[in-house]
Amino acid sequence: MTDKPWAALLTGSRQAGPAPVYHLEAVDQTGQPRQVAIPGESPLTIRVDGRDIATLMTLGSHPEELALGFLRSQRLLERLEDVASLEVDWAREAVEVRTRQGVGLPGWDEKASRLEVSGGCGQSSLFSRTLENLRQEKLPRVQLRQSTIYALLEAVTPLNVIYRQASSVHCCCLCQEERVLMAVEDVARHNAADIVAGRMWLEGITGADKIIYATCRLTAEIVTKVAFMGVPAVVTKSGMTRMGLELARNMGMVVIGRAETGRFLVFNGQDQVVFDALEG
Amino acid sequence: MTDKPWAALLTGSRQAGPAPVYHLEAVDQTGQPRQVAIPGESPLTIRVDGRDIATLMTLGSHPEELALGFLRSQRLLERLEDVASLEVDWAREAVEVRTRQGVGLPGWDEKASRLEVSGGCGQSSLFSRTLENLRQEKLPRVQLRQSTIYALLEAVTPLNVIYRQASSVHCCCLCQEERVLMAVEDVARHNAADIVAGRMWLEGITGADKIIYATCRLTAEIVTKVAFMGVPAVVTKSGMTRMGLELARNMGMVVIGRAETGRFLVFNGQDQVVFDALEG
């Protein structure tokens, strides 16, 4: 046994995945060659007990966390204890998850050859049911200091490593006050969120005293994934949608948008932000 | 009958959908109230012959085209003639599609209560099969003039109407040379592409002499959707991923990235770009 409870789940050693950055020779508007970097993107099929569940397109840096976070956020797995083993096989572009007692949650159809499940960006048949559940949910009421937001923005800035080289990725960070516990980049914003959720699950990290920082716009789906993590505050450099706002209001999630050095907008939870760093 | 062949499909009159832009009072970093606009986002459940297929989160401006484009890009409907009727019901947040002979394509499981189908951003069980098909496909070989790229960028700039008010949306335009035939914004980049595909299908527009302009990064999924439209050239202000590049190379799609006034990079099809507007 190990002091990392989740290590026992990873039956294979962690294989080197695909390269996160790929270089090519493009041609610019003057016809001159230019070296360009773009992010990797690989299919990764999530398999549960020998069945294909979904194929995710991912940067590939955190396949274990992605598989678990995806299964959790789709509400296909509710307890980590139900997972007997998890193995990544990049040669087959697959993650094999074995469960102890099978998956018997809504969406699992014993007669179908695959799970009726879908995924990202709100194009999902499970998603509408999830929305109904979330409308009932309440997050713990927290306070967020302006000085923490500023310090957090400084802390996350250097962590957009792939983005600075290759752009075309989104970053999601799990923070405690301004301390960044995990920073993930992926070609899909919902994958980045699922990876953070998967890591929290594996390491038994609770969400109530955490903040999620994300570079992406906060659609209903992203707000939903943050709520599943139990995290009551989210900061984005981007904006949000009406449905994202409605969900955040219902659940009491503090939402800070358009956040860049020295400026931000409080989209929700205005009375939970403490303006302790006002200038002048 | 009508001169618009697709009009007959739309059995109900087009209902007013949800408002595309929503206004709220946020608070800025100084604690002062600020009027902010954010895009609408509504669930829209695609139903085929009485069955729920998927719930898409959409801005809601083109539900008919979105439903048809989604069913087409998921390869659930191959011919528009198979559609008997299509009706949008915003009160139920649903689009009802009735087919003439049912849907008998891969992915349809007669025993399951819903289609095994999924959607956006590569989180899809159907997507991997689609990728295999596309690796065989070849697009018509076209030439793209530098002057056309510049003129197209000027033409699309004023069309980001929702984005300029509310941000958090992506735009997809169907162009013939620099003439914009259709401009769509949506909270999900894949929805915007599906809407363009749906409109092309409804109006019988072929893709071989068209160009797609998109504000989003070109992941495998977006390149796939452009290829399904039969469009051999794509221009984005963003970048692309390795899998998007691989697909574009296999199919011979011209890809122009990082395109802004006066500058761009040719990611693929360098020998198909004619530099006719070189300065100096």
mmCIF file of all heavy atoms in Angstrom, chain B residues 52-96:
data_model
loop_
_atom_site.group_PDB
_atom_site.id
_atom_site.type_symbol
_atom_site.label_atom_id
_atom_site.label_comp_id
_atom_site.label_asym_id
_atom_site.label_seq_id
_atom_site.Cartn_x
_atom_site.Cartn_y
_atom_site.Cartn_z
ATOM 1 N N ASP B 52 -36.129 11.520 -27.333
ATOM 2 C CA ASP B 52 -35.076 12.496 -27.030
ATOM 3 C C ASP B 52 -33.737 11.980 -27.551
ATOM 4 O O ASP B 52 -33.352 10.839 -27.253
ATOM 5 C CB ASP B 52 -34.931 12.692 -25.519
ATOM 6 C CG ASP B 52 -36.090 13.461 -24.916
ATOM 7 O OD1 ASP B 52 -37.048 13.773 -25.656
ATOM 8 O OD2 ASP B 52 -36.040 13.733 -23.713
ATOM 9 N N ILE B 53 -33.057 12.828 -28.298
ATOM 10 C CA ILE B 53 -31.749 12.445 -28.821
ATOM 11 C C ILE B 53 -30.643 13.087 -27.992
ATOM 12 O O ILE B 53 -29.701 12.437 -27.568
ATOM 13 C CB ILE B 53 -31.591 12.913 -30.291
ATOM 14 C CG1 ILE B 53 -32.697 12.342 -31.153
ATOM 15 C CG2 ILE B 53 -30.216 12.550 -30.812
ATOM 16 C CD1 ILE B 53 -32.585 10.873 -31.389
ATOM 17 N N ALA B 54 -30.742 14.370 -27.800
ATOM 18 C CA ALA B 54 -29.693 15.090 -27.084
ATOM 19 C C ALA B 54 -30.246 16.447 -26.684
ATOM 20 O O ALA B 54 -31.159 16.971 -27.324
ATOM 21 C CB ALA B 54 -28.460 15.268 -27.962
ATOM 22 N N THR B 55 -29.697 16.990 -25.628
ATOM 23 C CA THR B 55 -30.030 18.349 -25.232
ATOM 24 C C THR B 55 -28.830 19.236 -25.516
ATOM 25 O O THR B 55 -27.749 19.001 -24.978
ATOM 26 C CB THR B 55 -30.415 18.416 -23.746
ATOM 27 O OG1 THR B 55 -31.563 17.590 -23.529
ATOM 28 C CG2 THR B 55 -30.743 19.846 -23.334
ATOM 29 N N LEU B 56 -29.014 20.183 -26.402
ATOM 30 C CA LEU B 56 -27.944 21.106 -26.755
ATOM 31 C C LEU B 56 -28.149 22.414 -25.990
ATOM 32 O O LEU B 56 -29.277 22.866 -25.816
ATOM 33 C CB LEU B 56 -27.946 21.395 -28.259
ATOM 34 C CG LEU B 56 -28.147 20.221 -29.207
ATOM 35 C CD1 LEU B 56 -27.992 20.688 -30.662
ATOM 36 C CD2 LEU B 56 -27.149 19.115 -28.929
ATOM 37 N N MET B 57 -27.073 23.028 -25.546
ATOM 38 C CA MET B 57 -27.154 24.339 -24.925
ATOM 39 C C MET B 57 -26.827 25.356 -26.011
ATOM 40 O O MET B 57 -25.726 25.346 -26.566
ATOM 41 C CB MET B 57 -26.158 24.460 -23.778
ATOM 42 C CG MET B 57 -26.365 23.452 -22.654
ATOM 43 S SD MET B 57 -27.996 23.528 -21.858
ATOM 44 C CE MET B 57 -27.926 25.172 -21.151
ATOM 45 N N THR B 58 -27.770 26.221 -26.314
ATOM 46 C CA THR B 58 -27.610 27.085 -27.482
ATOM 47 C C THR B 58 -28.067 28.512 -27.199
ATOM 48 O O THR B 58 -28.897 28.746 -26.308
ATOM 49 C CB THR B 58 -28.401 26.510 -28.686
ATOM 50 O OG1 THR B 58 -28.316 27.416 -29.792
ATOM 51 C CG2 THR B 58 -29.875 26.312 -28.340
ATOM 52 N N LEU B 59 -27.562 29.434 -27.977
ATOM 53 C CA LEU B 59 -28.044 30.807 -27.947
ATOM 54 C C LEU B 59 -29.520 30.842 -28.343
ATOM 55 O O LEU B 59 -30.278 31.680 -27.863
ATOM 56 C CB LEU B 59 -27.213 31.654 -28.928
ATOM 57 C CG LEU B 59 -27.391 33.161 -28.872
ATOM 58 C CD1 LEU B 59 -26.673 33.744 -27.663
ATOM 59 C CD2 LEU B 59 -26.883 33.816 -30.151
ATOM 60 N N GLY B 60 -29.920 29.948 -29.239
ATOM 61 C CA GLY B 60 -31.329 29.781 -29.563
ATOM 62 C C GLY B 60 -31.822 30.525 -30.789
ATOM 63 O O GLY B 60 -33.010 30.529 -31.073
ATOM 64 N N SER B 61 -30.917 31.107 -31.556
ATOM 65 C CA SER B 61 -31.362 31.938 -32.673
ATOM 66 C C SER B 61 -31.721 31.131 -33.918
ATOM 67 O O SER B 61 -32.436 31.629 -34.784
ATOM 68 C CB SER B 61 -30.281 32.959 -33.020
ATOM 69 O OG SER B 61 -29.047 32.310 -33.222
ATOM 70 N N HIS B 62 -31.228 29.905 -34.049
ATOM 71 C CA HIS B 62 -31.477 29.107 -35.258
ATOM 72 C C HIS B 62 -31.796 27.655 -34.894
ATOM 73 O O HIS B 62 -31.057 26.744 -35.272
ATOM 74 C CB HIS B 62 -30.252 29.125 -36.174
ATOM 75 C CG HIS B 62 -29.879 30.465 -36.697
ATOM 76 N ND1 HIS B 62 -29.168 31.377 -35.958
ATOM 77 C CD2 HIS B 62 -30.127 31.062 -37.894
ATOM 78 C CE1 HIS B 62 -28.981 32.469 -36.678
ATOM 79 N NE2 HIS B 62 -29.548 32.313 -37.846
ATOM 80 N N PRO B 63 -32.893 27.448 -34.164
ATOM 81 C CA PRO B 63 -33.152 26.074 -33.692
ATOM 82 C C PRO B 63 -33.390 25.075 -34.813
ATOM 83 O O PRO B 63 -32.980 23.911 -34.696
ATOM 84 C CB PRO B 63 -34.406 26.249 -32.816
ATOM 85 C CG PRO B 63 -35.034 27.521 -33.283
ATOM 86 C CD PRO B 63 -33.909 28.400 -33.720
ATOM 87 N N GLU B 64 -34.053 25.484 -35.905
ATOM 88 C CA GLU B 64 -34.337 24.545 -36.996
ATOM 89 C C GLU B 64 -33.034 24.059 -37.638
ATOM 90 O O GLU B 64 -32.805 22.863 -37.803
ATOM 91 C CB GLU B 64 -35.214 25.199 -38.075
ATOM 92 C CG GLU B 64 -36.606 25.606 -37.596
ATOM 93 C CD GLU B 64 -36.670 27.019 -37.014
ATOM 94 O OE1 GLU B 64 -35.601 27.651 -36.832
ATOM 95 O OE2 GLU B 64 -37.792 27.485 -36.730
ATOM 96 N N GLU B 65 -32.195 25.040 -37.991
ATOM 97 C CA GLU B 65 -30.933 24.691 -38.630
ATOM 98 C C GLU B 65 -30.042 23.899 -37.680
ATOM 99 O O GLU B 65 -29.326 22.982 -38.105
ATOM 100 C CB GLU B 65 -30.195 25.956 -39.083
ATOM 101 C CG GLU B 65 -30.813 26.665 -40.282
ATOM 102 C CD GLU B 65 -31.890 27.672 -39.912
ATOM 103 O OE1 GLU B 65 -32.383 27.635 -38.757
ATOM 104 O OE2 GLU B 65 -32.255 28.490 -40.775
ATOM 105 N N LEU B 66 -30.070 24.257 -36.412
ATOM 106 C CA LEU B 66 -29.235 23.545 -35.437
ATOM 107 C C LEU B 66 -29.640 22.078 -35.352
ATOM 108 O O LEU B 66 -28.791 21.176 -35.376
ATOM 109 C CB LEU B 66 -29.343 24.211 -34.057
ATOM 110 C CG LEU B 66 -28.594 23.530 -32.915
ATOM 111 C CD1 LEU B 66 -27.108 23.382 -33.215
ATOM 112 C CD2 LEU B 66 -28.780 24.301 -31.607
ATOM 113 N N ALA B 67 -30.954 21.844 -35.269
ATOM 114 C CA ALA B 67 -31.426 20.453 -35.155
ATOM 115 C C ALA B 67 -31.013 19.639 -36.379
ATOM 116 O O ALA B 67 -30.475 18.527 -36.252
ATOM 117 C CB ALA B 67 -32.948 20.428 -34.996
ATOM 118 N N LEU B 68 -31.234 20.200 -37.568
ATOM 119 C CA LEU B 68 -30.905 19.450 -38.784
ATOM 120 C C LEU B 68 -29.398 19.287 -38.945
ATOM 121 O O LEU B 68 -28.907 18.216 -39.297
ATOM 122 C CB LEU B 68 -31.503 20.145 -40.008
ATOM 123 C CG LEU B 68 -33.025 20.053 -40.092
ATOM 124 C CD1 LEU B 68 -33.545 20.954 -41.211
ATOM 125 C CD2 LEU B 68 -33.473 18.615 -40.322
ATOM 126 N N GLY B 69 -28.657 20.358 -38.681
ATOM 127 C CA GLY B 69 -27.201 20.280 -38.815
ATOM 128 C C GLY B 69 -26.606 19.304 -37.816
ATOM 129 O O GLY B 69 -25.684 18.550 -38.147
ATOM 130 N N PHE B 70 -27.156 19.291 -36.612
ATOM 131 C CA PHE B 70 -26.673 18.353 -35.600
ATOM 132 C C PHE B 70 -26.937 16.909 -36.034
ATOM 133 O O PHE B 70 -26.051 16.057 -35.991
ATOM 134 C CB PHE B 70 -27.360 18.628 -34.253
ATOM 135 C CG PHE B 70 -27.039 17.615 -33.188
ATOM 136 C CD1 PHE B 70 -25.843 17.674 -32.499
ATOM 137 C CD2 PHE B 70 -27.937 16.604 -32.892
ATOM 138 C CE1 PHE B 70 -25.543 16.725 -31.525
ATOM 139 C CE2 PHE B 70 -27.641 15.647 -31.916
ATOM 140 C CZ PHE B 70 -26.444 15.714 -31.232
ATOM 141 N N LEU B 71 -28.174 16.640 -36.489
ATOM 142 C CA LEU B 71 -28.503 15.274 -36.909
ATOM 143 C C LEU B 71 -27.663 14.845 -38.108
ATOM 144 O O LEU B 71 -27.265 13.695 -38.237
ATOM 145 C CB LEU B 71 -30.003 15.166 -37.232
ATOM 146 C CG LEU B 71 -30.922 15.325 -36.020
ATOM 147 C CD1 LEU B 71 -32.381 15.411 -36.461
ATOM 148 C CD2 LEU B 71 -30.735 14.160 -35.038
ATOM 149 N N ARG B 72 -27.361 15.827 -38.971
ATOM 150 C CA ARG B 72 -26.538 15.498 -40.127
ATOM 151 C C ARG B 72 -25.088 15.243 -39.705
ATOM 152 O O ARG B 72 -24.473 14.266 -40.124
ATOM 153 C CB ARG B 72 -26.592 16.652 -41.133
ATOM 154 C CG ARG B 72 -25.876 16.317 -42.417
ATOM 155 C CD ARG B 72 -25.722 17.555 -43.290
ATOM 156 N NE ARG B 72 -25.428 17.165 -44.665
ATOM 157 C CZ ARG B 72 -25.092 18.018 -45.610
ATOM 158 N NH1 ARG B 72 -25.018 19.319 -45.348
ATOM 159 N NH2 ARG B 72 -24.820 17.598 -46.823
ATOM 160 N N SER B 73 -24.546 16.130 -38.860
ATOM 161 C CA SER B 73 -23.124 15.988 -38.526
ATOM 162 C C SER B 73 -22.878 14.775 -37.642
ATOM 163 O O SER B 73 -21.781 14.229 -37.619
ATOM 164 C CB SER B 73 -22.581 17.261 -37.882
ATOM 165 O OG SER B 73 -23.080 17.429 -36.576
ATOM 166 N N GLN B 74 -23.917 14.330 -36.929
ATOM 167 C CA GLN B 74 -23.802 13.104 -36.149
ATOM 168 C C GLN B 74 -24.083 11.873 -37.006
ATOM 169 O O GLN B 74 -24.120 10.748 -36.486
ATOM 170 C CB GLN B 74 -24.775 13.127 -34.954
ATOM 171 C CG GLN B 74 -24.468 14.212 -33.944
ATOM 172 C CD GLN B 74 -23.169 13.993 -33.209
ATOM 173 O OE1 GLN B 74 -22.853 12.884 -32.833
ATOM 174 N NE2 GLN B 74 -22.395 15.051 -33.019
ATOM 175 N N ARG B 75 -24.329 12.099 -38.282
ATOM 176 C CA ARG B 75 -24.624 11.013 -39.231
ATOM 177 C C ARG B 75 -25.871 10.211 -38.843
ATOM 178 O O ARG B 75 -25.945 9.001 -39.066
ATOM 179 C CB ARG B 75 -23.422 10.077 -39.366
ATOM 180 C CG ARG B 75 -22.177 10.786 -39.875
ATOM 181 C CD ARG B 75 -21.850 10.342 -41.275
ATOM 182 N NE ARG B 75 -21.330 11.433 -42.094
ATOM 183 C CZ ARG B 75 -20.452 11.274 -43.065
ATOM 184 N NH1 ARG B 75 -19.961 10.092 -43.342
ATOM 185 N NH2 ARG B 75 -20.062 12.291 -43.802
ATOM 186 N N LEU B 76 -26.831 10.904 -38.217
ATOM 187 C CA LEU B 76 -28.076 10.233 -37.864
ATOM 188 C C LEU B 76 -29.115 10.411 -38.955
ATOM 189 O O LEU B 76 -30.054 9.630 -39.069
ATOM 190 C CB LEU B 76 -28.606 10.771 -36.534
ATOM 191 C CG LEU B 76 -27.710 10.377 -35.364
ATOM 192 C CD1 LEU B 76 -28.039 11.191 -34.136
ATOM 193 C CD2 LEU B 76 -27.833 8.889 -35.080
ATOM 194 N N LEU B 77 -28.958 11.439 -39.752
ATOM 195 C CA LEU B 77 -29.820 11.665 -40.910
ATOM 196 C C LEU B 77 -28.902 11.916 -42.100
ATOM 197 O O LEU B 77 -28.012 12.753 -42.013
ATOM 198 C CB LEU B 77 -30.684 12.912 -40.701
ATOM 199 C CG LEU B 77 -32.035 12.760 -40.049
ATOM 200 C CD1 LEU B 77 -32.674 14.135 -39.880
ATOM 201 C CD2 LEU B 77 -32.951 11.845 -40.850
ATOM 202 N N GLU B 78 -29.120 11.200 -43.165
ATOM 203 C CA GLU B 78 -28.227 11.383 -44.310
ATOM 204 C C GLU B 78 -28.880 12.142 -45.444
ATOM 205 O O GLU B 78 -28.198 12.696 -46.286
ATOM 206 C CB GLU B 78 -27.692 10.034 -44.791
ATOM 207 C CG GLU B 78 -26.869 9.362 -43.700
ATOM 208 C CD GLU B 78 -25.629 8.637 -44.202
ATOM 209 O OE1 GLU B 78 -25.652 8.149 -45.347
ATOM 210 O OE2 GLU B 78 -24.650 8.563 -43.435
ATOM 211 N N ARG B 79 -30.217 12.156 -45.504
ATOM 212 C CA ARG B 79 -30.904 12.843 -46.599
ATOM 213 C C ARG B 79 -32.015 13.714 -46.026
ATOM 214 O O ARG B 79 -32.810 13.261 -45.200
ATOM 215 C CB ARG B 79 -31.520 11.831 -47.581
ATOM 216 C CG ARG B 79 -30.524 10.831 -48.144
ATOM 217 C CD ARG B 79 -31.176 9.907 -49.162
ATOM 218 N NE ARG B 79 -32.537 9.532 -48.764
ATOM 219 C CZ ARG B 79 -33.520 9.319 -49.618
ATOM 220 N NH1 ARG B 79 -33.316 9.446 -50.932
ATOM 221 N NH2 ARG B 79 -34.711 8.968 -49.187
ATOM 222 N N LEU B 80 -32.074 14.935 -46.499
ATOM 223 C CA LEU B 80 -33.104 15.860 -46.030
ATOM 224 C C LEU B 80 -34.493 15.340 -46.387
ATOM 225 O O LEU B 80 -35.469 15.591 -45.678
ATOM 226 C CB LEU B 80 -32.866 17.237 -46.661
ATOM 227 C CG LEU B 80 -33.611 18.416 -46.053
ATOM 228 C CD1 LEU B 80 -33.296 18.585 -44.584
ATOM 229 C CD2 LEU B 80 -33.283 19.690 -46.821
ATOM 230 N N GLU B 81 -34.574 14.581 -47.472
ATOM 231 C CA GLU B 81 -35.857 14.030 -47.915
ATOM 232 C C GLU B 81 -36.460 13.095 -46.881
ATOM 233 O O GLU B 81 -37.670 12.813 -46.916
ATOM 234 C CB GLU B 81 -35.689 13.264 -49.243
ATOM 235 C CG GLU B 81 -35.318 14.127 -50.426
ATOM 236 C CD GLU B 81 -33.832 14.492 -50.479
ATOM 237 O OE1 GLU B 81 -33.082 14.126 -49.551
ATOM 238 O OE2 GLU B 81 -33.429 15.159 -51.446
ATOM 239 N N ASP B 82 -35.642 12.569 -45.985
ATOM 240 C CA ASP B 82 -36.157 11.663 -44.956
ATOM 241 C C ASP B 82 -36.908 12.402 -43.849
ATOM 242 O O ASP B 82 -37.539 11.774 -43.001
ATOM 243 C CB ASP B 82 -35.008 10.852 -44.339
ATOM 244 C CG ASP B 82 -34.361 9.917 -45.356
ATOM 245 O OD1 ASP B 82 -35.048 9.566 -46.336
ATOM 246 O OD2 ASP B 82 -33.188 9.559 -45.175
ATOM 247 N N VAL B 83 -36.804 13.729 -43.857
ATOM 248 C CA VAL B 83 -37.478 14.515 -42.821
ATOM 249 C C VAL B 83 -38.882 14.864 -43.293
ATOM 250 O O VAL B 83 -39.059 15.493 -44.338
ATOM 251 C CB VAL B 83 -36.695 15.805 -42.507
ATOM 252 C CG1 VAL B 83 -37.420 16.636 -41.451
ATOM 253 C CG2 VAL B 83 -35.280 15.474 -42.044
ATOM 254 N N ALA B 84 -39.890 14.452 -42.530
ATOM 255 C CA ALA B 84 -41.276 14.757 -42.893
ATOM 256 C C ALA B 84 -41.701 16.116 -42.340
ATOM 257 O O ALA B 84 -42.397 16.873 -43.002
ATOM 258 C CB ALA B 84 -42.199 13.663 -42.367
ATOM 259 N N SER B 85 -41.267 16.425 -41.116
ATOM 260 C CA SER B 85 -41.619 17.713 -40.528
ATOM 261 C C SER B 85 -40.642 18.055 -39.424
ATOM 262 O O SER B 85 -39.925 17.184 -38.902
ATOM 263 C CB SER B 85 -43.042 17.686 -39.964
ATOM 264 O OG SER B 85 -43.086 16.859 -38.818
ATOM 265 N N LEU B 86 -40.646 19.329 -39.105
ATOM 266 C CA LEU B 86 -39.735 19.818 -38.062
ATOM 267 C C LEU B 86 -40.445 20.953 -37.369
ATOM 268 O O LEU B 86 -40.941 21.878 -38.024
ATOM 269 C CB LEU B 86 -38.440 20.294 -38.733
ATOM 270 C CG LEU B 86 -37.302 20.779 -37.830
ATOM 271 C CD1 LEU B 86 -35.979 20.616 -38.550
ATOM 272 C CD2 LEU B 86 -37.499 22.221 -37.421
ATOM 273 N N GLU B 87 -40.535 20.898 -36.050
ATOM 274 C CA GLU B 87 -41.271 21.928 -35.329
ATOM 275 C C GLU B 87 -40.530 22.307 -34.052
ATOM 276 O O GLU B 87 -40.156 21.445 -33.257
ATOM 277 C CB GLU B 87 -42.679 21.430 -34.998
ATOM 278 C CG GLU B 87 -43.594 22.572 -34.603
ATOM 279 C CD GLU B 87 -45.068 22.201 -34.771
ATOM 280 O OE1 GLU B 87 -45.370 21.030 -35.110
ATOM 281 O OE2 GLU B 87 -45.916 23.086 -34.552
ATOM 282 N N VAL B 88 -40.360 23.608 -33.884
ATOM 283 C CA VAL B 88 -39.689 24.117 -32.690
ATOM 284 C C VAL B 88 -40.745 24.493 -31.662
ATOM 285 O O VAL B 88 -41.732 25.141 -31.992
ATOM 286 C CB VAL B 88 -38.843 25.360 -33.037
ATOM 287 C CG1 VAL B 88 -38.210 25.948 -31.770
ATOM 288 C CG2 VAL B 88 -37.785 25.008 -34.068
ATOM 289 N N ASP B 89 -40.559 24.059 -30.431
ATOM 290 C CA ASP B 89 -41.490 24.399 -29.355
ATOM 291 C C ASP B 89 -40.672 24.948 -28.186
ATOM 292 O O ASP B 89 -40.171 24.200 -27.347
ATOM 293 C CB ASP B 89 -42.267 23.135 -28.943
ATOM 294 C CG ASP B 89 -43.302 23.438 -27.864
ATOM 295 O OD1 ASP B 89 -43.289 24.570 -27.317
ATOM 296 O OD2 ASP B 89 -44.123 22.548 -27.565
ATOM 297 N N TRP B 90 -40.546 26.267 -28.146
ATOM 298 C CA TRP B 90 -39.712 26.870 -27.107
ATOM 299 C C TRP B 90 -40.326 26.695 -25.715
ATOM 300 O O TRP B 90 -39.614 26.682 -24.715
ATOM 301 C CB TRP B 90 -39.439 28.346 -27.397
ATOM 302 C CG TRP B 90 -38.285 28.529 -28.336
ATOM 303 C CD1 TRP B 90 -38.319 29.063 -29.588
ATOM 304 C CD2 TRP B 90 -36.910 28.176 -28.106
ATOM 305 N NE1 TRP B 90 -37.058 29.057 -30.152
ATOM 306 C CE2 TRP B 90 -36.179 28.524 -29.262
ATOM 307 C CE3 TRP B 90 -36.227 27.584 -27.041
ATOM 308 C CZ2 TRP B 90 -34.801 28.311 -29.383
ATOM 309 C CZ3 TRP B 90 -34.861 27.367 -27.149
ATOM 310 C CH2 TRP B 90 -34.161 27.732 -28.307
ATOM 311 N N ALA B 91 -41.658 26.570 -25.652
ATOM 312 C CA ALA B 91 -42.273 26.367 -24.335
ATOM 313 C C ALA B 91 -41.762 25.071 -23.708
ATOM 314 O O ALA B 91 -41.582 24.978 -22.498
ATOM 315 C CB ALA B 91 -43.794 26.331 -24.473
ATOM 316 N N ARG B 92 -41.500 24.085 -24.559
ATOM 317 C CA ARG B 92 -40.950 22.814 -24.067
ATOM 318 C C ARG B 92 -39.451 22.709 -24.317
ATOM 319 O O ARG B 92 -38.851 21.671 -24.050
ATOM 320 C CB ARG B 92 -41.679 21.644 -24.745
ATOM 321 C CG ARG B 92 -43.152 21.542 -24.310
ATOM 322 C CD ARG B 92 -43.890 20.458 -25.113
ATOM 323 N NE ARG B 92 -43.152 19.211 -25.096
ATOM 324 C CZ ARG B 92 -42.936 18.457 -26.168
ATOM 325 N NH1 ARG B 92 -43.395 18.809 -27.356
ATOM 326 N NH2 ARG B 92 -42.244 17.339 -26.069
ATOM 327 N N GLU B 93 -38.880 23.765 -24.850
ATOM 328 C CA GLU B 93 -37.433 23.781 -25.152
ATOM 329 C C GLU B 93 -37.050 22.547 -25.954
ATOM 330 O O GLU B 93 -36.104 21.819 -25.620
ATOM 331 C CB GLU B 93 -36.605 23.889 -23.863
ATOM 332 C CG GLU B 93 -36.833 25.224 -23.144
ATOM 333 C CD GLU B 93 -36.115 25.346 -21.801
ATOM 334 O OE1 GLU B 93 -35.842 24.307 -21.175
ATOM 335 O OE2 GLU B 93 -35.839 26.492 -21.394
ATOM 336 N N ALA B 94 -37.789 22.322 -27.038
ATOM 337 C CA ALA B 94 -37.557 21.114 -27.829
ATOM 338 C C ALA B 94 -37.774 21.382 -29.318
ATOM 339 O O ALA B 94 -38.525 22.281 -29.697
ATOM 340 C CB ALA B 94 -38.496 19.996 -27.371
ATOM 341 N N VAL B 95 -37.096 20.604 -30.131
ATOM 342 C CA VAL B 95 -37.349 20.549 -31.570
ATOM 343 C C VAL B 95 -37.822 19.140 -31.882
ATOM 344 O O VAL B 95 -37.143 18.166 -31.523
ATOM 345 C CB VAL B 95 -36.080 20.835 -32.398
ATOM 346 C CG1 VAL B 95 -36.395 20.782 -33.895
ATOM 347 C CG2 VAL B 95 -35.491 22.190 -32.040
ATOM 348 N N GLU B 96 -38.980 19.054 -32.502
ATOM 349 C CA GLU B 96 -39.524 17.746 -32.872
ATOM 350 C C GLU B 96 -39.244 17.513 -34.344
ATOM 351 O O GLU B 96 -39.720 18.260 -35.198
ATOM 352 C CB GLU B 96 -41.046 17.706 -32.671
ATOM 353 C CG GLU B 96 -41.524 17.843 -31.246
ATOM 354 C CD GLU B 96 -41.495 16.518 -30.490
ATOM 355 O OE1 GLU B 96 -41.203 15.469 -31.107
ATOM 356 O OE2 GLU B 96 -41.754 16.558 -29.272
#
